[in-house]
Amino acid sequence: PNVANITVRLGLLCGQWNYTARGILDRAHLWFFTRKTGRRLLEKAGYEVTSTAMTVMPVELALGLDPAGPAMRVLSLALRALTAAMPGLMGYQMIYEARAAKRG
């Protein structure tokens, strides 16, 4: 989970850090990362990160909207653009592709 996501930041700004049944603050998450600390974890474990991607916040789940509905389609396009422009702030989860680092 991206602990630097805007939803977590806004919650912290309001003095809130509440675990939930799902999402970034899912009770099952034991560790939280930023893009930098997630990459560092993999590199320290002996991996070379070959690519990274950020997922878009699944607001349709939080708002109970039909993902195929017109409002959600517009919102999804906007969220994808915002996530691409500001991945650290708007990204929901980080996805890393990595391989064992070459030793030498």
Side-chain angles (χ1 to χ4, degrees), residues 26-86:
D26 183 317
R27 288 180 190 92
H29 289 149
L30 302 177
W31 293 84
F32 296 90
F33 302 95
T34 63
R35 290 184 304 153
K36 185 178 180 178
T37 60
R39 176 184 280 275
R40 188 180 314 139
L41 174 76
L42 289 167
E43 289 171 347
K44 283 187 175 184
Y47 291 92
E48 173 188 355
V49 175
T50 57
S51 68
T52 61
M54 297 296 276
T55 64
V56 176
M57 289 184 286
V59 294
E60 68 277 5
L61 296 176
L63 301 178
L65 295 175
D66 176 7
M72 195 57 230
R73 290 174 135 184
V74 170
L75 186 54
S76 289
L77 284 171
L79 284 172
R80 277 197 294 273
L82 287 168
T83 300
M86 298 178 285

